[in-house]
Amino acid sequence: MNTLTKRLWKCISYCFPFRKKKPNDNAVEEIEIKQESLEKQPIEANSERETSYEVNSERETTIEANSERETSYEANSERETSYEVNSERETTIEANSERETSYEVNSERETTIEANSERETSYEVNSERETTVEANSEIETSNEVNSERETTVEAKRKRDTTTKAHRKRKAANKSKSTRKTAKKPNVSPERDKLYCDECVSRQKRCFEDQVKTSIAKKKVFWTDFKRSNDFERGLLSRGWVKKIAPTFNAGPKKTVFRDPTYGHKIISRYDIQPNLILTRQRIELHLLKEDQITNHFCRVHATSKSGLCKVLRQWCLSCDANPHTFFPRCYMFSKINEKQAFIDDFTMTAACGILKWVLRTNGKSLQDEVIPSRKEKEEKTAICMSDAKINNHGPARIVPEDIIVTALVACQFHLYDLTHEDEDDIICAGIVDRKHFISDYYQVMHHGAHIQNSDKYVDYCHQLLCKLRRVNPQLDIDGEKNIWISKPRNLSRGRGIRCRNDLKDICSLGREWVVEKYIERPLLVYGTKFDLRQHFLITDWYPLTIWFYKHSFLRFSSQPFTLESLDTATHVCNYAIQKKLKNAPNRHPNLPEENMWHSDEFKEYLCTIGKEQVWDSIIIPGMKKALIHTMKATRENVKYRKNSFDLFGSDFLFGENFQPWLLEIQYKPGITKDTSVMWKIVPPMVEDMLRVVIDYKDDPNCNVGGFELIYKQANYTGNGILSKEKTFRDLKITTISDP
């Protein structure tokens, strides 16, 4: 074995280690056959592959070399048979067979062929074999070239496909790639075709012209409402433009005008002040120009709980109107004398409650003149005593009849104070022992005690209550339980409100509380308490101009009404409170799940109970009267400014006789569309409000939608002096009788 063969063998052994086995004649023959078949397979494959590439100039040489190789392999087989005695050659052939066997599972056949060509070099015995090996090496080189050519052809095919797709895209986007266009806002695919250079420039020019025209016509508005889509929609439809800035008086560097349709923005080059300002925040009036319109008033005291009580009390002293006909009695604990006045009122209400108890227990009412028989009285008394046991008040006790006498004396003195009647008409005289009287009152009302010999005083109680009823318009709503509702002065949305019926508990409240008489006999719908939110608009204070909105909504409690429990969920109908609570399972199925009704639904309910006439004859006139008197009382304290307006929300509760009672007035009430009812009311109300504020100035005969002008001050001199107030008849508006 020459030196070159040894070196090649070392390289092959290093790359492909294997075990040496003893030579075997049969094994050698099998190896030779396998070797010959394995060597023929790549040659035939190469010949077939070379046929596919006839364009190659080297193909003929490869085919000739391939045929020579087959001839050389035949000579090789004969020569190898003659060298069977050579142990080194047999070992080499055995290693070759093992290597070829390992190549059957190897995908890198080209590497194996190359190694085979190197192995064949070791058999260089004669010049023919060397020529064959050289031809083999040329064949392998040709195979590599062919594989590279196949890869190149495939890559070219992919590149051609990619180039065609690229050319199509390039042809479609040729105009877009060669011009500079403005950034497109997010628009629908239908509008995408509008975005070309001319369209964008035309839209910008149109919007710039619109902004210039709106500025010239003083139609620029600014708002800080988070949910002002209804306001913006109505103003934009009227040709107004919105100033986008952090504040209404921001300079040109912070002012932008934005096209609501296409999103184009125009930066202001000079200071532009809005002509209409919509805000929920307080505005310093000295920062505004005279022609700027804003939805803001200063010092509207009636919109606070204590302020409403104060202005109505002061106003009734200077006019003939009586606020007790539409506003429950109220006391402010911030004043020392107010708490003592409340204690006297609580005692007097308890005395009237005793008289009402006597009538109810003995089967008589203020409307019923029939006196029941003794048997009916005994049955009524037995029912009252059994009710005390059912309500877990323990065994019913008997209270002396002195409590009735004390109540009669207290009510007679109260009647004298109201009517200034002579002392000769007083039934009896005496001083009320408040502590002892209140204790016995609690036994009767809270613990179910019975009053001894109450039937003897039925006529006296009836006569006195009838007299009190003529001078006390709140006698029917007081009831017998003497319940009062306490409200924090500076909180809203029903926070902190509680019902109380204990004098000591109520007197323990601090100066920040307001106490108002609770309506114990309210109008119920399917056994559930409700109140009504009524919106109205003030467009001027001098002359006072009030607009009443014809649509309203009812807010229901989530629990059935009862006076046995003073829970907030039963007695406070504010939506901010009720939306957090679950509706009682025993509620009437006709009540709404979202605890809100449109006023139209309430009118339908009145029709079902045969009271459809009370809406137009009692409820609407009563609410208008209450709002007019309240706003007239508030006007004196308002800081006046022309070109101001605002929306107010008033809460009403109704008695059993459908009489409306004003509870509160909200300044800038929430008009969020949280329920389906609010979705019906808010959008049209906002549009109608813009008609009153904007359209009505230019055209007094325009359609104002759902708003009705219910009051306007007449013959205003312009210097704050009122010469005369125009009545409803003078204005030809719905007539409402004065209280």
Side-chain angles (χ1 to χ4, degrees):
M1 187 179 297
N2 54 18
T3 305
L4 180 59
T5 304
K6 290 181 179 180
R7 290 180 180 176
L8 291 174
W9 173 245
K10 282 185 178 182
C11 292
I12 293 171
S13 301
Y14 180 79
C15 297
F16 306 95
F18 53 87
R19 294 184 304 173
K20 293 183 179 181
K21 295 183 181 181
K22 292 182 180 182
N24 191 324
D25 295 342
N26 296 330
V28 171
E29 291 179 359
E30 292 177 358
I31 289 170
E32 289 175 355
I33 294 171
K34 288 182 181 181
Q35 179 181 359
E36 184 177 356
S37 61
L38 288 173
E39 289 175 351
K40 286 182 180 180
Q41 288 177 0
I43 292 170
E44 293 176 357
N46 283 337
S47 63
E48 292 177 358
R49 191 162 52 249
E50 288 299 319
T51 304
S52 64
Y53 296 105
E54 293 179 358
V55 294
N56 190 355
S57 60
E58 298 179 358
R59 179 180 176 185
E60 295 178 358
T61 306
T62 305
I63 295 172
E64 292 177 359
N66 197 11
S67 60
E68 290 177 2
R69 182 182 177 186
E70 292 177 356
T71 306
S72 63
Y73 279 155
E74 293 177 358
N76 248 353
S77 61
E78 294 177 357
R79 190 162 50 252
E80 286 174 356
T81 304
S82 63
Y83 292 120
E84 292 179 358
V85 293
N86 192 351
S87 61
E88 292 180 358
R89 182 176 180 186
E90 290 176 355
T91 305
T92 303
I93 293 171
E94 184 179 357
N96 187 23
S97 65
E98 291 180 358
R99 182 172 61 82
E100 290 297 325
T101 304
S102 65
Y103 281 0
E104 290 178 0
V105 294
N106 194 347
S107 64
E108 300 178 356
R109 179 169 294 178
E110 293 179 358
T111 307
T112 306
I113 295 171
E114 186 177 355
N116 190 21
S117 65
E118 293 178 356
R119 182 180 57 78
E120 291 295 330
T121 308
S122 63
Y123 297 107
E124 296 178 353
V125 182
N126 50 35
S127 59
E128 291 180 359
R129 185 172 183 183
E130 290 178 358
T131 305
T132 304
V133 172
E134 290 176 0
N136 257 344
S137 63
E138 291 177 358
I139 290 172
E140 295 300 330
T141 304
S142 175
N143 289 339
E144 291 177 1
V145 172
N146 290 336
S147 62
E148 291 177 359
R149 184 180 300 158
E150 290 178 355
T151 306
T152 304
V153 171
E154 185 177 358
K156 185 177 180 181
R157 187 183 300 109
K158 291 181 179 180
R159 186 167 60 253
D160 292 342
T161 305
T162 306
T163 303
K164 290 180 181 179
H166 177 71
R167 288 175 180 173
K168 290 181 180 180
R169 279 197 309 271
K170 188 175 181 181
N173 302 328
K174 186 176 181 181
S175 58
K176 295 183 180 180
S177 62
T178 57
R179 69 170 182 263
K180 295 181 180 179
T181 58
K183 185 179 179 180
K184 300 179 187 177
N186 293 328
V187 296
S188 60
E190 291 78 8
R191 294 185 179 177
D192 188 60
K193 59 182 180 181
L194 298 177
Y195 286 95
C196 59
D197 283 341
E198 291 122 6
C199 293
V200 172
S201 60
R202 191 186 311 113
Q203 292 161 8
K204 284 186 176 180
R205 287 195 303 270
C206 292
F207 183 60
E208 289 177 359
D209 295 339
Q210 181 185 353
V211 172
K212 292 178 182 179
T213 304
S214 299
I215 294 173
K217 293 183 178 181
K218 296 183 178 181
K219 290 186 175 182
V220 179
F221 74 95
W222 176 89
T223 179
D224 62 353
F225 289 166
K226 293 182 179 179
R227 300 178 181 179
S228 60
N229 292 334
D230 297 322
F231 283 101
E232 291 186 14
R233 190 182 301 110
L235 291 170
L236 293 174
S237 65
R238 289 170 169 81
W240 289 65
V241 293
K242 181 180 179 181
K243 175 183 178 180
I244 302 176
T247 59
F248 74 92
N249 56 353
K253 294 183 179 179
K254 297 182 179 179
T255 300
V256 175
F257 294 95
R258 181 178 177 274
D259 188 349
T261 305
Y262 301 103
H264 306 310
K265 292 184 179 180
I266 298 177
I267 300 175
S268 177
R269 299 179 181 177
Y270 52 93
D271 188 15
I272 299 175
Q273 293 299 318
N275 307 102
L276 175 61
I277 301 171
L278 301 173
T279 178
R280 294 189 64 86
Q281 306 299 325
R282 181 176 179 180
I283 297 179
E284 297 295 335
L285 297 182
H286 68 274
L287 299 176
L288 299 175
K289 298 179 181 180
E290 292 184 0
D291 61 342
Q292 286 183 306
I293 305 174
T294 181
N295 65 326
H296 183 70
F297 293 123
C298 287
R299 296 191 311 205
V300 185
H301 294 336
T303 56
S304 66
K305 297 175 177 65
S306 59
L308 180 60
C309 176
K310 183 178 179 180
V311 298
L312 289 177
R313 189 177 299 172
Q314 292 176 350
W315 182 68
C316 70
L317 299 176
S318 59
C319 66
D320 296 333
N322 183 10
H324 289 166
T325 59
F326 60 86
F327 183 66
R329 305 187 303 280
C330 184
Y331 297 93
M332 300 173 290
F333 280 10
S334 58
K335 298 181 179 181
I336 298 176
N337 59 342
E338 288 282 304
K339 186 170 287 189
Q340 183 58 45
F342 163 73
I343 294 174
D344 295 339
D345 195 341
F346 186 91
T347 305
M348 182 54 55
T349 305
C352 292
I354 292 295
L355 302 187
K356 293 177 182 178
W357 183 93
V358 172
L359 294 182
R360 179 179 59 82
T361 304
N362 292 275
K364 190 177 182 65
S365 65
L366 292 177
Q367 292 81 15
D368 186 10
E369 301 294 338
V370 179
I371 299 177
S373 62
R374 184 177 184 87
K375 183 178 180 181
E376 292 175 346
K377 294 179 182 177
E378 293 176 355
E379 291 177 354
K380 189 71 176 178
T381 302
I383 293 174
C384 264
M385 298 180 68
S386 63
D387 288 343
K389 297 179 181 179
I390 294 173
N391 294 329
N392 297 324
H393 295 310
R397 53 167 296 210
I398 302 297
V399 176
E401 59 186 277
D402 294 343
I403 189 174
I404 301 177
V405 177
T406 304
L408 287 170
V409 172
C411 291
Q412 187 66 46
F413 274 112
H414 181 56
L415 180 63
Y416 172 78
D417 292 337
L418 296 176
T419 60
H420 303 288
E421 294 184 0
D422 296 335
E423 295 182 1
D424 295 339
D425 295 332
I426 299 178
I427 297 176
C428 57
I431 300 175
V432 176
D433 183 1
R434 179 179 288 110
K435 185 176 181 180
H436 181 70
F437 173 76
I438 293 298
S439 177
D440 288 344
Y441 170 79
Y442 286 160
Q443 290 295 326
V444 176
M445 298 300 173
H446 297 177
H447 303 291
H450 186 67
I451 302 176
Q452 190 177 25
N453 299 325
S454 62
D455 56 339
K456 297 190 304 182
Y457 301 92
V458 172
D459 292 337
Y460 294 110
C461 294
H462 185 268
Q463 293 176 10
L464 191 53
L465 286 175
C466 287
K467 292 181 179 181
L468 285 172
R469 190 182 187 190
R470 288 193 290 267
V471 296
N472 182 10
Q474 298 189 17
L475 185 66
D476 291 336
I477 67 172
D478 283 348
E480 303 174 11
K481 299 290 185 179
N482 207 357
I483 301 174
W484 296 73
I485 186 166
S486 58
K487 304 176 182 180
R489 289 174 54 188
N490 300 320
L491 294 181
S492 60
R493 298 190 295 275
R495 293 174 295 176
I497 295 179
R498 276 192 59 189
C499 291
R500 307 169 191 264
N501 60 357
D502 186 85
L503 180 61
K504 185 177 180 181
D505 182 26
I506 298 174
C507 291
S508 64
L509 297 174
R511 298 171 57 86
E512 298 299 321
W513 290 83
V514 174
V515 178
E516 184 178 272
K517 184 64 186 74
Y518 182 75
I519 299 176
E520 298 182 30
R521 299 176 63 182
L523 178 66
L524 304 178
V525 173
Y526 298 118
T528 305
K529 183 184 174 183
F530 69 95
D531 64 9
L532 183 142
R533 168 63 61 87
Q534 177 63 55
H535 293 96
F536 64 98
L537 182 66
I538 302 291
T539 55
D540 205 343
W541 290 100
Y542 293 98
L544 178 61
T545 307
I546 306 174
W547 299 81
F548 185 89
Y549 196 61
K550 66 180 181 180
H551 297 298
S552 54
F553 61 90
L554 280 66
R555 303 177 299 186
F556 287 91
S557 171
S558 59
Q559 310 297 321
F561 181 76
T562 177
L563 293 179
E564 296 298 326
S565 171
L566 300 182
D567 187 20
T568 303
T570 303
H571 301 282
V572 180
C573 301
N574 195 291
Y575 182 71
I577 300 296
Q578 296 297 333
K579 70 179 182 179
K580 301 176 183 178
L581 305 174
K582 291 184 178 180
N583 295 334
N586 59 339
R587 288 207 325 166
H588 197 280
N590 290 345
L591 291 172
E593 287 294 330
E594 55 187 7
N595 292 324
M596 196 172 289
W597 257 5
H598 193 279
S599 56
D600 293 340
E601 296 176 277
F602 180 55
K603 288 189 284 186
E604 292 176 1
Y605 168 78
L606 293 176
C607 293
T608 59
I609 62 175
K611 299 292 183 179
E612 59 273 7
Q613 74 282 357
V614 300
W615 178 261
D616 294 324
S617 61
I618 300 177
I619 295 177
I620 292 297
M623 291 193 295
K624 290 179 179 179
K625 180 189 71 173
L627 295 178
I628 291 172
H629 288 329
T630 304
M631 292 298 102
K632 289 170 67 175
T634 307
R635 175 181 54 189
E636 300 177 359
N637 301 312
V638 176
K639 188 175 180 180
Y640 176 68
R641 179 190 179 274
K642 203 71 174 174
N643 289 325
S644 295
F645 74 96
D646 214 339
L647 184 71
F648 296 82
S650 54
D651 296 337
F652 286 93
L653 197 67
F654 303 98
E656 290 179 334
N657 59 352
F658 302 97
Q659 174 68 30
W661 294 93
L662 178 63
L663 303 180
E664 293 180 359
I665 292 181
Q666 300 290 334
Y667 183 51
K668 297 183 184 298
I671 52 176
T672 56
K673 295 171 283 190
D674 297 331
T675 63
S676 60
V677 176
M678 294 300 289
W679 271 100
K680 295 178 182 178
I681 292 179
V682 173
M685 184 178 67
V686 171
E687 174 62 24
D688 295 341
M689 184 163 52
L690 294 177
R691 290 176 180 176
V692 173
V693 175
I694 298 175
D695 301 343
Y696 186 77
K697 284 188 175 183
D698 300 330
D699 182 13
N701 297 322
C702 71
N703 179 20
V704 293
F707 278 101
E708 176 191 357
L709 180 62
I710 62 171
Y711 183 82
K712 187 172 183 179
Q713 177 184 326
N715 295 335
Y716 174 67
T717 61
N719 55 3
I721 301 175
L722 307 180
S723 59
K724 184 181 178 182
E725 288 189 354
K726 188 174 288 188
T727 62
F728 285 94
R729 294 182 180 90
D730 296 333
L731 283 171
K732 295 183 179 180
I733 304 175
T734 304
T735 303
I736 299 176
S737 59
D738 293 332

